[in-house]
Amino acid sequence: MKILTSPYAALYAAIFATIAFLLLGVYAGPGWLVAAAVCALLVAVGVGDLVQTSHAVRRNYPIIGNLRYFFEMIRPAVRQYFFESDYDEEPFSRVDRSLVYQRAKQEIDKRPFGTLRDVYQKDFEWINHSMEPVQPHTCDFRVKVGGPDCSQPYNLSVLNISAMSFGALSANAVLALNKGAALGNFAHDTGEGGISRYHLAYSGDLIWNIGTGYFGCNDGQGNFCEETFAQRARQPSVRMIEIKLSQGAKPGHGGMLPGAKVTPEIAAARGIPVGVDCISPPKHSAFSTPIELLEFVARLRELSGGKPVGFKLCIGHPWEWFAIAKAMLKTGITPDFIVVDGAEGGTGAAPIEFVDHVGVPLREGLRLVHNTLVGIGLRDQIKLGASGKIITAFDMARIMALGADWCNSARGFMFAIGCIQAQVCHTGKCPTGVTTQDPRRQRALVVEDKGERVHRFHANTLAALAELLGAAGLRHPSELRPHHIVKRVANGEIRVLSALYPDLEKGELLEGKFRSTIYRTAWPMAQAESFSPLYSLSAALSGNRDRELPIGASEAARPHTRIPAVMVEDADD
């Protein structure tokens, strides 16, 4: 009995079975020797478990201890297919994924018998409809991107493919996305990995994303090269230039693609040597201050022949964003657009602490940028894009009500080309060929079929948005305002988003009106000449101490003015 309950029971059983089947093979026929060989293999596994030193469970429970690692490996798939609720967002719910698949495949996306959601649950949201619904004239909604200094403005769709690099995505995935963008006349953001030949194969409109490594426009040493940039930026497919300051998945974090993964194709797209480690620094080297950033924007606009140039960021320290805003006022240089990425964004792998705890979520970040631009009187000159878990037409309506002119989606379009949310993007073992460089795996992704699905997902989502707008009595997404979206904040208590995210009046920051704590606190801290604050947040919140010196400044440089008191309990934020 003790043998049966022993941690080594499975090993004892394998030894006994091996001997028994060997004897049967000798006396009853050679067929039993196959079973003996299988059992002998299990014995070898058990012995290997006993002698290895890495896994305590396997040492204590030879053979059977391996089941722990097997079940751990299949747990995500088992959970997703058998136990996960339709509305569990890990990170996207089955309902959202199914909706993308249905729209991409041109299948029925209607549901019978009413909602499955608990409409009285906290955080439930809806859009109020009108007694005078309208029929929008089109569902091909567009926004013109290009400020007063832009000679080649671009008529952009309100739904586009968000930044995903070749290298993170397979060649076939990039081809399918670009084919869909060409069919649907919308834009495909290249991601910071540069413009590959796959981005150009179908002549789909491109937003060239330029990150800290300046891939595709560097001098071979990681520095920005004007000549190379100008040559590529003037390609007809490149319609807009986007400087990536930070991204939602890992803001403030660089990265490295090991040299072993730098294939000739990836090297050609990025303008780097084959087989050499590819470094993405945490910050840019072409500029170091807010004013220099805007001068860089102006220079890229000139080098590109007057195409729209802007930047993408995930909001972090608010005074750094305010410093950019002050630099716009000081220099008179404005970007043509800004894309706000939420902390909930992300396609490729990132450190778990960054995924879970770094960066401002999209709604708060977008609202801060929108309100700031309104407050300094520049909102009409600068268009705003937004990205971060945008899948459905309601996702778009909510974000556009908070101030976005258009939306970008990465994972939505990944679902459209076959992603099943296996969450092995960083391993090279993507089961659908979307995020792998393995030729055998990516051949499963048929470009002709998946390109059509990208087009259909885009078209059907915009058609749904048109129906949503029409029901609310609106003809274009630009008419959406925060009061159109309602949120249940507690049982029996609801708020329109305009109450949760108040508007600023045009030019009120220029007049020194700081109704919200974040402006009253952080706006005076910001300076156009540096991303560093004039004094610390602790000093700002105390309100009674002299302004602190920037690091390295002398005591003689200390200003002796006092910081205005801050009402930290203000509920406007």
Side-chain angles (χ1 to χ4, degrees):
M1 190 64 182
K2 286 185 178 181
I3 291 179
L4 295 177
T5 59
S6 167
Y8 305 116
L11 179 58
Y12 295 151
I15 294 171
F16 175 79
T18 301
I19 295 171
F21 287 135
L22 280 173
L23 292 174
L24 286 171
V26 171
Y27 294 105
W32 292 101
L33 294 177
V34 176
V38 172
C39 292
L41 181 62
L42 288 175
V43 172
V45 169
V47 172
D49 290 338
L50 287 174
V51 300
Q52 60 83 34
T53 58
S54 300
H55 302 285
V57 171
R58 288 170 55 200
R59 282 174 68 86
N60 279 337
Y61 298 88
I63 300 178
I64 200 171
N66 290 280
L67 291 175
R68 174 188 183 274
Y69 304 98
F70 171 74
F71 290 134
E72 209 171 56
M73 179 182 68
I74 67 171
R75 179 182 180 275
V78 170
R79 177 180 173 81
Q80 180 180 139
Y81 291 111
F82 297 105
F83 300 108
E84 186 179 277
S85 161
D86 284 346
Y87 288 98
D88 285 345
E89 296 187 358
E90 294 188 354
F92 286 89
S93 70
R94 175 171 293 277
V95 167
D96 283 345
R97 300 196 307 272
S98 296
L99 183 63
V100 175
Y101 300 148
Q102 289 161 351
R103 288 179 173 165
K105 296 176 183 178
Q106 203 69 35
E107 295 177 351
I108 296 174
D109 60 356
K110 309 299 188 288
R111 179 191 296 139
F113 227 66
T115 183
L116 300 177
R117 296 184 183 272
D118 181 357
V119 299
Y120 297 101
Q121 186 178 27
K122 183 178 179 291
D123 293 331
F124 179 74
E125 294 172 309
W126 67 92
I127 184 170
N128 279 335
H129 67 282
S130 172
M131 293 293 289
E132 296 182 309
V134 300
Q135 182 66 46
H137 301 305
T138 179
C139 59
D140 184 22
F141 302 117
R142 298 269 157 183
V143 56
K144 183 179 178 181
V145 182
D149 298 319
C150 177
S151 61
Q152 296 190 55
Y154 177 50
N155 204 25
L156 180 69
S157 172
V158 297
L159 177 61
N160 303 283
I161 301 169
S162 197
M164 294 181 284
S165 302
F166 169 56
L169 295 185
S170 69
N172 282 11
V174 173
L175 285 168
L177 292 171
N178 197 255
K179 178 180 175 65
L183 290 171
N185 192 25
F186 57 97
H188 177 190
D189 194 311
T190 65
E192 66 174 309
I195 303 172
S196 70
R197 63 187 180 93
Y198 304 111
H199 287 101
L200 302 171
Y202 292 99
S203 300
D205 289 348
L206 296 177
I207 300 173
W208 185 10
N209 181 296
I210 298 176
T212 56
Y214 306 109
F215 299 132
C217 56
N218 65 60
D219 61 359
Q221 304 299 318
N223 302 307
F224 177 72
C225 176
E226 290 192 351
E227 182 179 351
T228 306
F229 170 80
Q231 180 183 357
R232 295 199 173 190
R234 291 174 183 254
Q235 295 176 98
S237 291
V238 177
R239 308 304 297 270
M240 292 168 42
I241 314 295
E242 177 184 81
I243 304 165
K244 194 203 84 169
L245 302 181
S246 57
Q247 66 185 84
K250 48 181 180 179
H253 190 281
M256 183 188 77
L257 185 65
K261 294 185 177 181
V262 181
T263 65
E265 286 185 323
I266 291 176
R270 300 194 177 200
I272 57 175
V274 177
V276 177
D277 291 346
C278 177
I279 306 296
S280 296
K283 68 175 186 177
H284 282 266
S285 59
F287 56 86
S288 59
T289 69
I291 289 176
E292 289 177 359
L293 164 62
L294 296 179
E295 291 172 343
F296 188 58
V297 166
R299 183 59 177 154
L300 296 192
R301 190 186 290 129
E302 178 185 351
L303 291 169
S304 67
K307 293 181 179 180
V309 178
F311 54 82
K312 168 185 174 180
L313 81 168
C314 177
I315 293 295
H317 295 312
W319 54 82
E320 294 179 348
W321 156 241
F322 293 157
I324 297 174
K326 286 188 174 182
M328 295 180 198
L329 296 172
K330 185 164 186 175
T331 63
I333 302 172
T334 55
D336 296 295
F337 66 91
I338 298 171
V339 175
V340 182
D341 199 13
E344 63 269 45
T347 49
I352 191 67
E353 292 85 359
F354 280 76
V355 170
D356 288 344
H357 301 293
V358 180
V360 175
L362 176 57
R363 300 185 203 182
E364 288 76 15
L366 172 64
R367 199 63 182 154
L368 182 69
V369 172
H370 168 80
N371 270 339
T372 302
L373 294 176
V374 170
I376 62 175
L378 295 178
R379 181 63 181 88
D380 294 340
Q381 297 182 32
I382 302 170
K383 293 296 187 286
L384 288 184
S387 54
K389 294 194 76 172
I390 296 172
I391 295 289
T392 70
F394 181 76
D395 293 336
M396 294 182 65
R398 176 178 54 213
I399 291 304
M400 297 176 88
L402 288 174
D405 293 299
W406 83 86
C407 298
N408 293 334
S409 178
R411 287 166 289 186
F413 284 102
M414 286 176 66
F415 292 142
I417 59 175
C419 171
I420 60 172
Q421 196 171 274
Q423 299 185 61
V424 292
C425 309
H426 57 301
T427 66
K429 297 180 180 179
C430 173
T432 57
V434 176
T435 61
T436 178
Q437 298 305 308
D438 183 337
R440 181 182 61 82
R441 288 179 178 270
Q442 63 175 290
R443 89 179 270 277
L445 197 162
V446 180
V447 173
E448 289 71 21
D449 174 58
K450 298 304 189 291
E452 291 285 349
R453 292 190 185 188
V454 168
H455 174 212
R456 290 194 294 261
F457 167 63
H458 177 267
N460 289 328
T461 301
L462 290 190
L465 178 63
E467 292 181 340
L468 204 61
L469 292 172
L474 309 174
R475 295 188 182 277
H476 192 277
S478 61
E479 300 175 37
L480 282 162
R481 296 294 181 269
H483 65 260
H484 287 115
I485 309 296
V486 188
K487 181 174 183 175
R488 186 180 299 283
V489 296
N491 187 28
E493 185 179 353
I494 63 173
R495 293 283 188 276
V496 291
L497 292 193
S498 55
L500 297 174
Y501 303 97
D503 284 310
L504 262 62
E505 296 177 3
K506 186 174 182 178
E508 73 171 74
L509 293 179
L510 301 179
E511 300 171 6
K513 295 179 181 178
F514 304 126
R515 289 182 291 155
S516 297
T517 301
I518 192 167
Y519 292 104
R520 191 159 52 249
T521 305
W523 183 262
M525 296 169 58
Q527 54 181 330
E529 295 76 15
S530 174
F531 287 109
S532 299
L534 286 168
Y535 47 88
S536 75
L537 181 60
S538 298
L541 292 174
S542 71
N544 293 315
R545 292 186 294 171
D546 288 337
R547 292 180 177 178
E548 296 180 355
L549 288 172
I551 295 175
S554 67
E555 181 64 27
R558 182 187 296 277
H560 295 287
T561 55
R562 296 280 181 174
I563 304 166
V566 176
M567 295 176 61
V568 296
E569 72 277 6
D570 194 323
D572 287 347
D573 300 308

